[in-house]
Amino acid sequence: MQGGMTKKGRELQIKDSSNIADVRSSGMALTAPGGHPDELIPKEEGIPSFILKKMEKMTEQEKKDFIAAFEERENEQGEKLDVTTVEGAVQFVHQQMENGADYFKIMIEEGTVMNAPGLPMLKPNVLKAAVDEAHKLGKIAIAHVLTAEAAKTAVDVGVDGLAHLFIDRPDWTPELIKSISDKGIFVTPCLVLNSSIIGKSACHVANDKRVSHKLNEDWKMTMCSCFNTFPSGNMEDNYNNVKDLHNAGVDILVGTDVSVPMAHLGGLAHGVSVHHELQLLVEAGLSPIEALQSATSVIAKRFSLSDRGQILEGMRADLLLVKGDPTTSISDSLSILHVWKEGVDIKLDGNTI
């Protein structure tokens, strides 16, 4: 994920929490001033209103920890660097690593797919310098991309993975896919995001009886909304892109791009969108087992999380017990009976987001 959940952020906010997901973060992504994702963020001073609303439900200690983490993040951003230069971008990489980032992320987003064409972008030589620096520091680098052209730039600057899938399918897509495969780059399609961008909500998932009681009203509203910023796109192109990448031997990872419960960021919700993504990957041609691997062992391999991702002696006992058989019917992944984290049974009753 992107944001303040670097090692420092985790120590401040979730160090004593055993019933939430294990988190890894890139810290803040490298983007041009005024570039993506600025077009999506409400322009407010201080803690955004949607966060303040969430804080109303926190205990006093949770509020205290959150405010401390927010102030820490503000301090992390204290030195304003000119990231449009090679020198500034390289310094930015070091800044993120000093703040405890687990990997590095760059933004390559012109904005058309987000209905915000003409967004500022960093030059390829600046991006490459930053990616090279992350590699020197022993970190993988990934790139936000939503178009084939952006993906081509990401390949050229040397990233290890693509965050999101190019939503278009130009006639030179086969050459792009070959270059991704040849360089061993992984792809996290986030088909749930692209579906929302095209204009499809995930209301049918939110209303699933296995899901609805686990979502609060804000998240139900969000799931029943969508980005709808690129209605000219179509899911068939997305499915074919995933299928061709998979057939070319490219590692496919499960991701969702969930952020906060707001209508303009709709079609997504934490947790449930992982299961929706599994379903869409199967629609795209992966077998149920391959989709499950994309959410477990493949992610662990590509992010060097060697203690998890498989059910083997000596591995972390992070386990789900489900009713049914998701290796043949992927939707059964939602029929969750029990969850264990590091061998500890997590109580599910009343857990909502």
Side-chain angles (χ1 to χ4, degrees), residues 306-317:
S306 58
D307 62 343
R308 66 198 73 190
Q310 301 181 71
I311 302 175
L312 292 172
E313 183 177 351
M315 293 285 198
R316 278 175 53 127

Side-chain angles (χ1 to χ4, degrees), residues 17 52 123 136 190 194 199 256 271 300 331:
S17 300
L52 293 174
K123 293 179 179 178
K136 289 177 185 176
C190 299
N194 287 13
T256 63
S331 177

Side-chain angles (χ1 to χ4, degrees), residues 89-126:
V90 167
Q91 284 182 270
F92 181 86
V93 176
H94 283 267
Q95 190 179 77
Q96 299 312 303
M97 299 310 139
E98 289 165 5
N99 292 335
D102 301 288
Y103 55 98
F104 185 64
K105 184 175 183 180
I106 62 176
M107 296 292 195
I108 308 176
E109 179 56 65
E110 176 273 337
T112 295
V113 171
M114 304 308 298
N115 196 28
L119 288 177
M121 297 173 64
L122 295 176
K123 293 179 179 178
N125 68 307
V126 173

Side-chain angles (χ1 to χ4, degrees), residues 22-193:
D22 206 10
V23 178
R24 297 292 184 273
S25 173
S26 66
M28 302 309 296
L30 178 65
T31 191
H36 181 76
D38 274 15
E39 80 280 7
L40 299 175
I41 300 172
K43 302 301 184 283
E44 300 174 307
E45 292 293 329
I47 300 175
S49 57
F50 64 85
I51 296 295
L52 293 174
K53 184 176 180 180
K54 180 179 179 181
M55 289 176 65
E56 293 174 1
K57 302 175 183 178
M58 294 181 181
T59 65
E60 288 305 312
Q61 185 58 48
E62 288 172 337
K63 289 179 182 177
K64 182 179 178 181
D65 291 344
F66 179 84
I67 291 171
F70 181 85
E71 291 175 347
E72 177 74 19
R73 178 173 163 182
E74 291 291 294
N75 291 335
E76 288 174 0
Q77 300 174 12
E79 183 186 354
K80 298 300 181 182
L81 303 171
D82 181 4
V83 297
T84 64
T85 67
V86 167
E87 294 76 13
V90 167
Q91 284 182 270
F92 181 86
V93 176
H94 283 267
Q95 190 179 77
Q96 299 312 303
M97 299 310 139
E98 289 165 5
N99 292 335
D102 301 288
Y103 55 98
F104 185 64
K105 184 175 183 180
I106 62 176
M107 296 292 195
I108 308 176
E109 179 56 65
E110 176 273 337
T112 295
V113 171
M114 304 308 298
N115 196 28
L119 288 177
M121 297 173 64
L122 295 176
K123 293 179 179 178
N125 68 307
V126 173
L127 295 173
K128 187 177 188 311
V131 169
D132 289 346
E133 193 67 19
H135 288 158
K136 289 177 185 176
L137 297 174
K139 301 295 183 178
I140 66 170
I142 68 172
H144 161 103
V145 301
L146 281 172
T147 65
E149 193 61 47
K152 181 179 182 300
T153 298
V155 171
D156 290 343
V157 302
V159 300
D160 304 281
L162 303 182
H164 312 314
L165 175 74
F166 37 98
I167 204 166
D168 53 345
R169 191 172 167 84
D171 57 11
W172 48 272
T173 298
E175 289 76 19
L176 173 61
I177 289 173
K178 185 178 186 304
S179 67
I180 292 170
S181 176
D182 288 349
K183 295 194 175 183
I185 296 169
F186 66 80
V187 176
T188 308
C190 299
L191 288 171
V192 288
L193 171 67

Side-chain angles (χ1 to χ4, degrees), residues 191-205 222-231 233-236 238-239 263 265-268 276 280:
L191 288 171
V192 288
L193 171 67
N194 287 13
S195 178
S196 177
I197 286 172
I198 287 168
K200 299 179 183 295
S201 82
C203 222
H204 64 290
V205 181
T222 302
M223 286 285 283
C224 289
S225 306
C226 59
F227 278 70
N228 196 30
T229 54
F230 194 65
N234 67 81
M235 286 306 291
E236 196 62 30
N238 286 269
Y239 292 152
L265 304 175
L268 310 169
H276 189 196
L280 295 182

